[in-house]
Amino acid sequence: SLSSSGAPPATLIFDQPAPLLQAIFFSTSVLMVSCPCALGLAVPMALIAAVGVGAQHGMLFRSAQAVEAACSVSLLCIDKTGTITEGKPQVTGMVLLQEGEDVCSMNEEGWEQKISMSCRELWRSVAACEVNVSHPLSAALQVFAARLASGDGSEEKCSPCVTKRKSLVGKGVVCWTSDGRAMAIGGSSLLELLGCPVSLPLAWRTAEQSVVYVLTAEKARQGEEEEEEELASYCWQARMAVALSDRVRDEAEAVIRRLRQLGIDVVLLSGDDPGVVQQVAAQVGIQQQFGGLSPLNKSQHVSLLRAQGARVAMVGDGINDIPAFAQADLSVSVAGGSKEALQSSDLVLAAGNLRLLLASFRLARATMRRIMLNLVWACMYNLVALPVAAGLFAVSSSIIVPPWMCAGMMSASSVLVVSCSLSLMSFRP
Protein backbone atom coordinates (compact mmCIF):
# COMPACT_ATOMS: atom_id res chain seq x y z
CA SER A 1 0.00 0.00 0.00
CA LEU A 2 3.01 2.29 0.53
CA SER A 3 4.07 2.17 -3.13
CA SER A 4 0.56 2.36 -4.64
CA SER A 5 -0.89 5.26 -2.70
CA GLY A 6 2.28 7.23 -1.97
CA ALA A 7 1.15 7.72 1.66
CA PRO A 8 1.47 5.57 4.80
CA PRO A 9 -1.39 3.18 5.55
CA ALA A 10 -4.12 4.24 7.93
CA THR A 11 -2.74 2.00 10.64
CA LEU A 12 0.60 3.85 10.50
CA ILE A 13 0.25 5.71 13.78
CA PHE A 14 3.03 6.03 16.30
CA ASP A 15 1.07 4.32 19.10
CA GLN A 16 0.26 1.25 16.96
CA PRO A 17 2.60 -1.57 15.93
CA ALA A 18 4.06 -0.83 12.48
CA PRO A 19 7.65 0.21 13.28
CA LEU A 20 9.43 -1.35 10.27
CA LEU A 21 7.02 0.08 7.69
CA GLN A 22 7.13 3.43 9.41
CA ALA A 23 10.94 3.50 9.39
CA ILE A 24 11.09 2.57 5.69
CA PHE A 25 8.60 5.28 4.77
CA PHE A 26 10.36 8.15 6.54
CA SER A 27 13.83 6.93 5.55
CA THR A 28 12.76 6.92 1.91
CA SER A 29 11.36 10.44 2.24
CA VAL A 30 14.61 11.68 3.80
CA LEU A 31 16.69 10.10 1.03
CA MET A 32 14.48 11.67 -1.62
CA VAL A 33 14.32 15.16 -0.15
CA SER A 34 17.97 15.54 0.77
CA CYS A 35 19.75 17.61 -1.85
CA PRO A 36 23.56 17.65 -1.72
CA CYS A 37 23.40 18.46 -5.44
CA ALA A 38 22.27 22.00 -4.70
CA LEU A 39 25.25 22.53 -2.40
CA GLY A 40 27.60 20.99 -4.96
CA LEU A 41 26.26 23.13 -7.81
CA ALA A 42 26.10 26.42 -5.90
CA VAL A 43 29.69 27.51 -6.56
CA PRO A 44 30.83 25.87 -9.84
CA MET A 45 27.66 26.72 -11.79
CA ALA A 46 27.96 30.42 -10.94
CA LEU A 47 31.68 30.48 -11.79
CA ILE A 48 31.16 28.68 -15.09
CA ALA A 49 28.39 31.09 -16.01
CA ALA A 50 30.61 34.06 -15.11
CA VAL A 51 33.53 32.83 -17.25
CA GLY A 52 31.16 32.29 -20.19
CA VAL A 53 29.49 35.68 -19.86
CA GLY A 54 32.85 37.39 -19.51
CA ALA A 55 34.13 35.74 -22.70
CA GLN A 56 31.05 36.91 -24.61
CA HIS A 57 31.77 40.51 -23.67
CA GLY A 58 35.56 40.47 -24.12
CA MET A 59 36.64 39.71 -20.54
CA LEU A 60 38.67 36.51 -20.71
CA PHE A 61 39.06 35.02 -17.23
CA ARG A 62 41.68 32.28 -17.39
CA SER A 63 40.26 30.41 -14.40
CA ALA A 64 37.56 30.39 -11.76
CA GLN A 65 40.19 31.55 -9.27
CA ALA A 66 40.59 34.74 -11.33
CA VAL A 67 36.88 35.49 -10.89
CA GLU A 68 37.18 35.02 -7.12
CA ALA A 69 40.28 37.23 -6.99
CA ALA A 70 38.57 39.99 -8.99
CA CYS A 71 35.71 40.02 -6.51
CA SER A 72 37.98 40.79 -3.57
CA VAL A 73 40.21 43.46 -5.17
CA SER A 74 40.50 46.59 -3.03
CA LEU A 75 43.36 48.40 -4.78
CA LEU A 76 44.18 48.69 -8.46
CA CYS A 77 47.70 49.40 -9.71
CA ILE A 78 47.65 50.52 -13.32
CA ASP A 79 50.31 51.27 -15.90
CA LYS A 80 50.18 54.44 -18.01
CA THR A 81 51.36 53.74 -21.55
CA GLY A 82 48.87 51.57 -23.40
CA THR A 83 46.53 51.35 -20.42
CA ILE A 84 45.50 54.80 -19.26
CA THR A 85 46.67 56.09 -22.64
CA GLU A 86 45.82 54.58 -26.02
CA GLY A 87 49.28 53.13 -26.51
CA LYS A 88 49.69 54.85 -29.89
CA PRO A 89 52.26 57.57 -29.23
CA GLN A 90 53.24 60.00 -31.97
CA VAL A 91 56.32 62.13 -32.41
CA THR A 92 55.35 65.74 -31.70
CA GLY A 93 58.70 67.49 -31.62
CA MET A 94 62.48 67.14 -31.68
CA VAL A 95 65.63 69.09 -30.99
CA LEU A 96 69.19 68.40 -32.08
CA LEU A 97 71.06 68.91 -28.84
CA GLN A 98 74.60 68.84 -30.14
CA GLU A 99 73.97 71.27 -32.99
CA GLY A 100 71.83 73.60 -30.88
CA GLU A 101 68.90 73.62 -33.29
CA ASP A 102 65.61 75.05 -32.05
CA VAL A 103 62.71 72.82 -31.15
CA CYS A 104 60.84 71.65 -34.21
CA SER A 105 57.15 71.18 -33.49
CA MET A 106 55.25 68.73 -35.65
CA ASN A 107 52.20 70.98 -35.34
CA GLU A 108 53.90 73.70 -37.35
CA GLU A 109 53.21 73.94 -41.04
CA GLY A 110 56.13 72.78 -43.18
CA TRP A 111 57.99 71.16 -40.29
CA GLU A 112 59.50 68.51 -42.59
CA GLN A 113 61.50 71.11 -44.47
CA LYS A 114 63.14 72.22 -41.21
CA ILE A 115 64.77 68.84 -40.63
CA SER A 116 68.38 68.82 -41.82
CA MET A 117 70.07 65.98 -43.70
CA SER A 118 72.24 65.15 -40.71
CA CYS A 119 69.10 64.74 -38.64
CA ARG A 120 67.56 62.45 -41.26
CA GLU A 121 70.70 60.29 -41.24
CA LEU A 122 70.44 60.10 -37.46
CA TRP A 123 66.85 58.97 -37.78
CA ARG A 124 67.87 56.14 -40.10
CA SER A 125 70.27 54.94 -37.40
CA VAL A 126 67.48 55.18 -34.81
CA ALA A 127 65.18 53.09 -36.98
CA ALA A 128 67.87 50.42 -37.37
CA CYS A 129 68.46 50.25 -33.61
CA GLU A 130 64.75 50.02 -32.75
CA VAL A 131 64.02 47.01 -34.98
CA ASN A 132 62.32 44.18 -33.04
CA VAL A 133 62.05 46.29 -29.87
CA SER A 134 58.57 45.66 -28.41
CA HIS A 135 57.57 48.99 -26.90
CA PRO A 136 54.96 51.53 -28.05
CA LEU A 137 57.54 54.35 -28.06
CA SER A 138 59.85 52.24 -30.20
CA ALA A 139 57.08 51.66 -32.72
CA ALA A 140 56.38 55.40 -32.85
CA LEU A 141 60.06 56.15 -33.54
CA GLN A 142 60.15 53.63 -36.37
CA VAL A 143 56.98 55.00 -37.93
CA PHE A 144 58.34 58.53 -37.85
CA ALA A 145 61.69 57.43 -39.30
CA ALA A 146 59.88 55.72 -42.17
CA ARG A 147 57.84 58.86 -42.73
CA LEU A 148 60.99 60.95 -43.02
CA ALA A 149 62.56 58.45 -45.39
CA SER A 150 59.52 58.48 -47.67
CA GLY A 151 59.47 62.28 -47.58
CA ASP A 152 63.01 62.73 -48.87
CA GLY A 153 63.09 59.70 -51.13
CA SER A 154 65.73 57.93 -49.06
CA GLU A 155 63.93 54.62 -48.64
CA GLU A 156 66.60 52.88 -50.69
CA LYS A 157 69.52 54.32 -48.75
CA CYS A 158 71.36 51.76 -46.69
CA SER A 159 70.77 51.95 -42.96
CA PRO A 160 73.72 51.39 -40.64
CA CYS A 161 74.39 47.72 -39.99
CA VAL A 162 73.63 46.88 -36.37
CA THR A 163 76.03 44.18 -35.22
CA LYS A 164 74.80 43.89 -31.64
CA ARG A 165 71.90 45.07 -29.54
CA LYS A 166 71.48 45.13 -25.75
CA SER A 167 68.22 45.92 -23.99
CA LEU A 168 68.41 47.70 -20.66
CA VAL A 169 65.22 46.78 -18.82
CA GLY A 170 63.24 49.85 -17.90
CA LYS A 171 65.82 52.21 -19.41
CA GLY A 172 66.20 51.72 -23.16
CA VAL A 173 68.34 50.00 -25.75
CA VAL A 174 72.01 50.19 -26.76
CA CYS A 175 73.27 48.96 -30.11
CA TRP A 176 76.60 48.80 -31.88
CA THR A 177 77.10 49.43 -35.60
CA SER A 178 79.62 48.08 -38.06
CA ASP A 179 81.51 51.39 -38.16
CA GLY A 180 82.50 51.06 -34.48
CA ARG A 181 79.94 53.45 -33.03
CA ALA A 182 77.43 52.83 -30.28
CA MET A 183 73.97 54.35 -30.04
CA ALA A 184 71.78 54.49 -26.93
CA ILE A 185 68.07 55.30 -27.05
CA GLY A 186 65.97 55.72 -23.92
CA GLY A 187 64.48 57.98 -21.30
CA SER A 188 65.84 60.04 -18.44
CA SER A 189 66.87 56.93 -16.49
CA LEU A 190 69.21 56.04 -19.36
CA LEU A 191 70.80 59.49 -19.15
CA GLU A 192 71.48 58.95 -15.45
CA LEU A 193 72.98 55.53 -16.12
CA LEU A 194 75.30 56.80 -18.84
CA GLY A 195 76.17 60.00 -16.96
CA CYS A 196 75.08 62.34 -19.74
CA PRO A 197 72.91 65.18 -18.38
CA VAL A 198 70.70 67.10 -20.82
CA SER A 199 68.93 70.44 -20.38
CA LEU A 200 65.59 70.62 -22.17
CA PRO A 201 63.58 73.72 -23.13
CA LEU A 202 61.09 74.86 -20.50
CA ALA A 203 58.15 74.13 -22.83
CA TRP A 204 59.15 70.47 -22.94
CA ARG A 205 59.48 70.15 -19.17
CA THR A 206 55.94 71.39 -18.59
CA ALA A 207 54.15 69.59 -21.43
CA GLU A 208 52.29 66.29 -21.13
CA GLN A 209 54.71 64.36 -23.32
CA SER A 210 57.35 61.69 -23.01
CA VAL A 211 60.89 62.47 -24.06
CA VAL A 212 63.27 59.95 -25.65
CA TYR A 213 66.96 60.75 -25.94
CA VAL A 214 69.40 59.58 -28.61
CA LEU A 215 73.05 59.34 -27.61
CA THR A 216 76.09 58.19 -29.57
CA ALA A 217 79.61 57.17 -28.65
CA GLU A 218 82.48 57.07 -31.13
CA LYS A 219 84.87 54.11 -31.32
CA ALA A 220 82.94 52.12 -28.75
CA ARG A 221 84.50 48.74 -28.17
CA GLN A 222 82.31 45.64 -28.18
CA GLY A 223 82.83 43.11 -25.45
CA GLU A 224 81.08 39.80 -25.21
CA GLU A 225 78.78 41.03 -22.46
CA GLU A 226 78.90 44.73 -21.69
CA GLU A 227 77.61 45.45 -18.22
CA GLU A 228 75.78 48.67 -17.40
CA GLU A 229 78.82 49.96 -15.51
CA GLU A 230 81.01 49.45 -18.57
CA LEU A 231 78.54 51.28 -20.81
CA ALA A 232 78.80 54.30 -18.51
CA SER A 233 82.54 54.47 -19.25
CA TYR A 234 81.91 55.30 -22.91
CA CYS A 235 82.24 58.89 -24.07
CA TRP A 236 78.56 59.50 -24.72
CA GLN A 237 77.20 62.57 -26.50
CA ALA A 238 73.52 63.54 -26.45
CA ARG A 239 72.55 64.01 -30.08
CA MET A 240 68.78 64.41 -30.13
CA ALA A 241 65.72 64.64 -27.90
CA VAL A 242 62.37 63.49 -29.27
CA ALA A 243 59.00 64.41 -27.77
CA LEU A 244 56.21 61.88 -28.03
CA SER A 245 52.60 62.35 -27.01
CA ASP A 246 50.12 59.57 -26.24
CA ARG A 247 46.45 60.42 -26.03
CA VAL A 248 44.62 59.60 -22.78
CA ARG A 249 41.68 57.26 -23.32
CA ASP A 250 38.33 59.06 -23.46
CA GLU A 251 36.74 56.78 -20.89
CA ALA A 252 39.66 56.79 -18.42
CA GLU A 253 38.38 59.51 -16.07
CA ALA A 254 34.85 58.08 -15.87
CA VAL A 255 36.15 54.55 -15.24
CA ILE A 256 38.49 55.73 -12.44
CA ARG A 257 35.59 57.55 -10.81
CA ARG A 258 33.34 54.47 -10.97
CA LEU A 259 36.10 52.27 -9.55
CA ARG A 260 36.33 54.52 -6.52
CA GLN A 261 32.57 54.25 -6.11
CA LEU A 262 33.01 50.48 -5.97
CA GLY A 263 35.52 50.94 -3.16
CA ILE A 264 38.60 50.27 -5.31
CA ASP A 265 41.48 52.73 -4.91
CA VAL A 266 43.69 53.37 -7.94
CA VAL A 267 47.48 53.87 -8.02
CA LEU A 268 49.35 54.81 -11.19
CA LEU A 269 52.71 53.04 -11.66
CA SER A 270 54.78 54.00 -14.68
CA GLY A 271 58.32 53.97 -15.95
CA ASP A 272 57.75 57.29 -17.70
CA ASP A 273 59.04 60.64 -16.50
CA PRO A 274 57.53 61.51 -13.06
CA GLY A 275 56.34 64.90 -14.30
CA VAL A 276 54.42 63.36 -17.18
CA VAL A 277 52.96 60.69 -14.89
CA GLN A 278 51.78 63.34 -12.43
CA GLN A 279 50.05 65.35 -15.16
CA VAL A 280 48.29 62.28 -16.57
CA ALA A 281 47.19 61.20 -13.09
CA ALA A 282 45.72 64.64 -12.43
CA GLN A 283 43.90 64.52 -15.76
CA VAL A 284 42.10 61.24 -14.99
CA GLY A 285 41.59 61.82 -11.25
CA ILE A 286 44.21 59.46 -9.76
CA GLN A 287 45.56 60.75 -6.46
CA GLN A 288 48.53 58.39 -5.99
CA GLN A 289 51.12 58.08 -8.73
CA PHE A 290 54.72 56.96 -9.04
CA GLY A 291 56.87 57.66 -12.10
CA GLY A 292 60.31 56.65 -13.28
CA LEU A 293 59.87 53.09 -12.02
CA SER A 294 61.81 50.11 -13.28
CA PRO A 295 60.04 46.72 -13.58
CA LEU A 296 61.59 45.73 -10.26
CA ASN A 297 60.34 48.93 -8.62
CA LYS A 298 56.81 48.20 -9.83
CA SER A 299 57.00 44.72 -8.38
CA GLN A 300 58.24 46.09 -5.06
CA HIS A 301 55.39 48.61 -4.90
CA VAL A 302 52.83 45.85 -5.46
CA SER A 303 54.45 43.66 -2.79
CA LEU A 304 54.44 46.55 -0.33
CA LEU A 305 50.77 47.29 -0.92
CA ARG A 306 49.89 43.62 -0.40
CA ALA A 307 51.92 43.56 2.81
CA GLN A 308 49.76 46.46 4.05
CA GLY A 309 46.68 44.24 3.70
CA ALA A 310 45.34 45.34 0.32
CA ARG A 311 44.05 42.92 -2.29
CA VAL A 312 45.93 44.20 -5.33
CA ALA A 313 45.20 43.94 -9.04
CA MET A 314 47.87 45.00 -11.55
CA VAL A 315 46.86 46.22 -15.00
CA GLY A 316 49.43 46.56 -17.78
CA ASP A 317 50.26 45.68 -21.34
CA GLY A 318 54.03 45.25 -21.62
CA ILE A 319 56.91 43.00 -20.69
CA ASN A 320 57.93 45.52 -18.04
CA ASP A 321 54.71 44.79 -16.14
CA ILE A 322 55.25 41.03 -15.83
CA PRO A 323 57.27 41.15 -12.56
CA ALA A 324 54.43 43.15 -10.98
CA PHE A 325 51.92 40.63 -12.41
CA ALA A 326 53.68 37.88 -10.45
CA GLN A 327 53.26 39.77 -7.16
CA ALA A 328 49.63 40.84 -7.60
CA ASP A 329 46.55 38.94 -6.48
CA LEU A 330 45.07 39.51 -9.94
CA SER A 331 46.96 40.38 -13.12
CA VAL A 332 45.12 42.05 -15.99
CA SER A 333 46.48 42.66 -19.50
CA VAL A 334 44.97 44.91 -22.14
CA ALA A 335 44.48 43.94 -25.78
CA GLY A 336 47.28 45.12 -28.03
CA GLY A 337 49.95 44.48 -25.41
CA SER A 338 52.93 42.19 -25.69
CA LYS A 339 52.45 38.47 -26.16
CA GLU A 340 54.32 37.75 -22.92
CA ALA A 341 51.99 40.00 -20.90
CA LEU A 342 48.89 38.39 -22.41
CA GLN A 343 50.16 34.91 -21.60
CA SER A 344 51.08 35.67 -18.00
CA SER A 345 47.90 37.48 -16.93
CA ASP A 346 44.87 36.09 -15.10
CA LEU A 347 42.42 38.28 -17.00
CA VAL A 348 42.69 39.53 -20.58
CA LEU A 349 40.62 42.46 -21.83
CA ALA A 350 40.00 41.65 -25.49
CA ALA A 351 39.37 45.28 -26.41
CA GLY A 352 41.35 48.39 -25.58
CA ASN A 353 38.54 49.87 -23.52
CA LEU A 354 38.87 50.49 -19.80
CA ARG A 355 35.11 50.04 -19.39
CA LEU A 356 35.77 46.31 -19.71
CA LEU A 357 38.03 46.56 -16.66
CA LEU A 358 35.20 48.11 -14.68
CA ALA A 359 32.76 45.53 -16.04
CA SER A 360 35.04 42.66 -14.99
CA PHE A 361 34.93 43.77 -11.35
CA ARG A 362 31.15 44.23 -11.53
CA LEU A 363 30.75 40.76 -13.04
CA ALA A 364 32.95 39.18 -10.37
CA ARG A 365 30.92 40.79 -7.58
CA ALA A 366 27.63 39.78 -9.21
CA THR A 367 28.97 36.23 -9.41
CA MET A 368 29.83 36.20 -5.73
CA ARG A 369 26.34 37.41 -4.88
CA ARG A 370 24.89 34.51 -6.88
CA ILE A 371 27.17 32.07 -5.09
CA MET A 372 26.10 33.35 -1.68
CA LEU A 373 22.44 33.22 -2.69
CA ASN A 374 22.85 29.66 -3.96
CA LEU A 375 24.56 28.52 -0.78
CA VAL A 376 21.99 30.18 1.48
CA TRP A 377 19.13 28.61 -0.44
CA ALA A 378 20.72 25.14 -0.50
CA CYS A 379 21.49 25.21 3.22
CA MET A 380 18.08 26.57 4.23
CA TYR A 381 16.32 24.05 2.03
CA ASN A 382 18.10 21.10 3.62
CA LEU A 383 17.72 22.51 7.15
CA VAL A 384 13.94 22.78 6.70
CA ALA A 385 13.13 19.90 4.37
CA LEU A 386 15.08 17.12 6.11
CA PRO A 387 13.35 17.36 9.53
CA VAL A 388 9.92 17.65 7.90
CA ALA A 389 10.56 14.61 5.67
CA ALA A 390 11.81 12.69 8.72
CA GLY A 391 8.39 13.12 10.34
CA LEU A 392 9.03 16.00 12.71
CA PHE A 393 5.39 17.15 12.46
CA ALA A 394 3.81 13.74 11.75
CA VAL A 395 2.31 13.43 15.26
CA SER A 396 1.72 17.01 16.32
CA SER A 397 0.28 18.35 13.05
CA SER A 398 -0.19 15.19 10.92
CA ILE A 399 2.13 16.72 8.27
CA ILE A 400 3.60 13.86 6.30
CA VAL A 401 5.54 14.43 3.05
CA PRO A 402 5.37 11.36 0.76
CA PRO A 403 8.51 10.22 -1.11
CA TRP A 404 7.25 11.28 -4.55
CA MET A 405 6.79 14.84 -3.30
CA CYS A 406 10.23 14.76 -1.68
CA ALA A 407 11.78 13.76 -5.01
CA GLY A 408 10.07 16.70 -6.69
CA MET A 409 11.31 19.09 -4.01
CA MET A 410 14.87 17.84 -4.44
CA SER A 411 14.76 18.38 -8.20
CA ALA A 412 13.22 21.82 -7.81
CA SER A 413 16.01 22.82 -5.43
CA SER A 414 18.71 21.94 -7.96
CA VAL A 415 16.83 23.64 -10.78
CA LEU A 416 16.53 26.81 -8.70
CA VAL A 417 20.29 26.89 -8.03
CA VAL A 418 21.09 26.41 -11.72
CA SER A 419 18.55 29.07 -12.73
CA CYS A 420 20.00 31.55 -10.26
CA SER A 421 23.48 30.97 -11.68
CA LEU A 422 22.32 31.25 -15.27
CA SER A 423 20.70 34.59 -14.49
CA LEU A 424 24.23 35.99 -14.91
CA MET A 425 23.64 35.60 -18.65
CA SER A 426 21.65 38.83 -18.48
CA PHE A 427 24.74 40.77 -17.32
CA ARG A 428 25.64 43.76 -19.47
CA PRO A 429 28.94 45.68 -19.23
Side-chain angles (χ1 to χ4, degrees):
S1 62
L2 178 63
S3 59
S4 60
S5 63
T11 58
L12 188 57
I13 303 176
F14 285 98
D15 58 355
Q16 294 190 9
L20 180 60
L21 200 59
Q22 180 179 345
I24 293 175
F25 178 86
F26 287 115
S27 298
T28 304
S29 296
V30 169
L31 288 175
M32 291 293 101
V33 83
S34 61
C35 188
C37 299
L39 286 171
L41 292 172
V43 176
M45 278 301 301
L47 292 175
I48 291 172
V51 172
V53 171
Q56 290 179 356
H57 296 289
M59 299 168 285
L60 307 180
F61 290 95
R62 291 194 179 275
S63 64
Q65 289 77 12
V67 180
E68 296 181 35
C71 174
S72 60
V73 167
S74 61
L75 191 146
L76 179 70
C77 294
I78 189 167
D79 183 40
K80 182 182 75 70
T81 304
T83 310
I84 291 292
T85 63
E86 294 180 348
K88 300 176 182 178
Q90 295 181 344
V91 175
T92 57
M94 74 178 81
V95 58
L96 291 180
L97 300 170
Q98 195 174 17
E99 299 179 13
E101 291 188 10
D102 293 335
V103 176
C104 176
S105 174
M106 302 302 109
N107 297 324
E108 297 177 2
E109 185 177 354
W111 60 268
E112 293 179 344
Q113 286 70 30
K114 297 183 180 181
I115 300 178
S116 63
M117 290 305 299
S118 61
C119 181
R120 294 175 188 269
E121 293 177 1
L122 185 59
W123 270 104
R124 283 195 291 272
S125 299
V126 170
C129 288
E130 292 289 345
V131 172
N132 297 328
V133 178
S134 58
H135 193 280
L137 296 183
S138 173
L141 294 176
Q142 294 184 64
V143 169
F144 184 76
R147 182 179 177 184
L148 282 183
S150 62
D152 62 5
S154 61
E155 301 97 321
E156 302 301 326
K157 292 184 179 180
C158 294
S159 299
C161 179
V162 176
T163 58
K164 184 178 179 181
R165 181 182 292 106
K166 179 180 180 64
S167 295
L168 305 177
V169 178
K171 295 180 177 66
V173 62
V174 178
C175 51
W176 289 261
T177 57
S178 56
D179 58 2
R181 293 192 305 171
M183 174 174 284
I185 305 172
S188 57
S189 58
L190 181 64
L191 293 179
E192 296 177 2
L193 172 65
L194 302 181
C196 188
V198 172
S199 178
L200 288 176
L202 178 61
W204 282 37
R205 295 195 297 268
T206 57
E208 296 180 10
Q209 56 189 4
S210 303
V211 180
V212 172
Y213 302 91
V214 179
L215 302 88
T216 59
E218 300 292 338
K219 298 181 180 180
R221 61 179 178 81
Q222 292 188 52
E224 291 298 322
E225 284 294 336
E226 286 79 359
E227 300 296 335
E228 293 185 2
E229 294 78 6
E230 295 178 0
L231 292 175
S233 66
Y234 291 0
C235 185
W236 293 101
Q237 293 181 335
R239 296 289 302 279
M240 180 171 62
V242 183
L244 300 101
S245 179
D246 196 2
R247 189 168 176 267
V248 174
R249 296 184 187 273
D250 295 333
E251 73 278 5
E253 183 178 4
V255 170
I256 298 301
R257 183 172 59 254
R258 287 284 289 116
L259 285 172
R260 286 202 300 268
Q261 292 175 358
L262 290 178
I264 301 176
D265 295 327
V266 182
V267 178
L268 182 58
L269 304 179
S270 176
D272 209 340
D273 184 79
V276 177
V277 174
Q278 184 177 6
Q279 292 175 2
V280 172
Q283 184 176 346
V284 299
I286 298 178
Q287 298 178 352
Q288 298 184 65
Q289 73 283 329
F290 301 91
L293 301 178
S294 66
L296 179 60
N297 294 146
K298 288 184 180 181
S299 175
Q300 291 173 343
H301 271 80
V302 173
S303 298
L304 178 61
L305 292 170
R306 290 189 63 192
Q308 294 173 353
R311 299 285 292 178
V312 181
M314 176 66 197
V315 186
D317 70 328
I319 297 178
N320 293 344
D321 300 315
I322 294 179
F325 281 0
Q327 298 299 324
D329 297 290
L330 176 71
S331 55
V332 185
S333 61
V334 182
S338 67
K339 183 186 300 184
E340 293 81 3
L342 295 174
Q343 292 175 345
S344 60
S345 59
D346 302 316
L347 169 62
V348 178
L349 305 181
N353 191 328
L354 288 179
R355 291 190 178 91
L356 288 180
L357 177 63
L358 175 63
S360 64
F361 292 123
R362 290 177 45 235
L363 175 60
R365 296 189 177 191
T367 302
M368 194 56 59
R369 287 194 295 270
R370 296 301 193 286
I371 290 176
M372 295 303 298
L373 186 61
N374 288 344
L375 290 174
V376 169
W377 161 253
C379 291
M380 292 300 297
Y381 164 81
N382 282 282
L383 286 174
V384 173
L386 284 174
V388 173
L392 178 63
F393 302 108
V395 176
S396 61
S397 304
S398 300
I399 299 177
I400 299 175
V401 184
W404 66 266
M405 186 177 294
C406 292
M409 292 169 59
M410 184 272 293
S411 300
S413 176
S414 298
V415 169
L416 187 60
V417 168
V418 173
S419 300
C420 181
S421 300
L422 294 180
S423 65
L424 285 171
M425 301 298 290
S426 62
F427 176 86
R428 292 295 179 269

